Amino acid sequence: QFVAASSWNDYILSPLTNVTDDAIRDGGAITFHPVGTASMSPVGADWGVVDPDLLLKGAKGVRIVDASVLPFVPSAHT
């Protein structure tokens, strides 16, 4: 079901074999604490991932509210 969603069109180029939703869900992990992967830009700018209100550009009602919008690693846990 997960990989059959329309949002994956043009990203998955060939059918997956022996992969279940549970395997995908259980297999994901983060080793580090990434920051700065979703850059913030001014309102109306054609660059950046989110605006200053943390709204995801090109989507309605989606906000990114984690450390990925921070421009640098803070002196604290992320």
Side-chain angles (χ1 to χ4, degrees):
Q1 291 174 335
F2 179 78
V3 297
S6 62
S7 57
W8 292 109
N9 290 350
D10 299 327
Y11 289 97
I12 296 178
L13 303 178
S14 64
L16 299 172
T17 59
N18 300 324
V19 177
T20 65
D21 284 354
D22 288 335
I24 294 169
R25 195 174 296 114
D26 296 340
I30 299 252
T31 304
F32 305 104
H33 300 277
V35 300
T37 57
S39 63
M40 185 186 307
S41 63
V43 173
D46 61 352
W47 58 275
V49 177
V50 297
D51 67 16
D53 293 324
L54 304 180
L55 290 170
L56 181 64
K57 293 183 174 188
K60 283 186 159 184
V62 178
R63 291 180 193 266
I64 296 182
V65 291
D66 64 11
S68 64
V69 299
L70 300 176
F72 54 86
V73 179
S75 296
H77 293 288
T78 56

